[in-house]
Amino acid sequence: QKKKRLIENALSARDAMQDEYRQHKALASKASHEANLAADKLSVAQLDLKKKDDRIARLQEQLGYMNARVDGLEQHKAYLLNKFKSDTGKNVVLLLQDIPPPRP
């Protein structure tokens, strides 16, 4: 009788340990799955950030080009206004008054 009770207790303890192991394994699997999902989200976010960084770099490059172009046009405008004044002897303001305003 005592031996039978010891065996039953041992079997019960083994079953309890197996249940606990299964629960821990399920929790570990769930945590691993959640970690993989988080890693995937992070990967997507990093890729999106990289695309935005590349776009910003391209826009900054274009802005630098446009600024240089505006500077060149301003220099050319100053040259043409000075040339007008030296060729005609007229004040540049008169020339600018004759030009109609741009249309919207």
Side-chain angles (χ1 to χ4, degrees):
Q1 188 72 359
K2 188 175 181 182
K3 197 175 189 182
K4 184 178 178 185
R5 198 166 12 126
L6 285 174
I7 290 172
E8 287 174 355
N9 286 343
L11 290 174
S12 177
R14 183 191 70 184
D15 290 344
M17 287 175 55
Q18 286 178 345
D19 287 344
E20 187 177 338
Y21 170 76
R22 285 186 195 106
Q23 289 174 356
H24 284 297
K25 188 174 179 181
L27 286 175
S29 176
K30 183 179 177 184
S32 175
H33 179 69
E34 289 174 0
N36 287 340
L37 289 177
D40 289 345
K41 286 181 184 178
L42 178 63
S43 198
V44 167
Q46 286 175 332
L47 181 61
D48 189 41
L49 186 60
K50 171 81 170 97
K51 287 179 184 177
K52 288 179 181 180
D53 285 346
D54 291 345
R55 179 162 165 72
I56 288 170
R58 281 193 312 274
L59 290 172
Q60 286 175 335
E61 184 178 323
Q62 289 175 356
L63 180 62
Y65 170 77
M66 291 300 169
N67 284 337
R69 179 109 168 95
V70 167
D71 289 344
L73 290 171
E74 289 287 342
Q75 289 175 2
H76 188 63
K77 173 185 161 187
Y79 166 77
L80 291 175
L81 292 176
N82 285 335
K83 183 162 176 48
F84 172 80
K85 185 175 183 177
S86 67
D87 288 351
T88 63
K90 294 182 180 178
N91 192 346
V92 177
V93 175
L94 297 175
L95 174 67
L96 295 177
Q97 287 175 348
D98 292 338
I99 299 174
R103 290 186 232 171

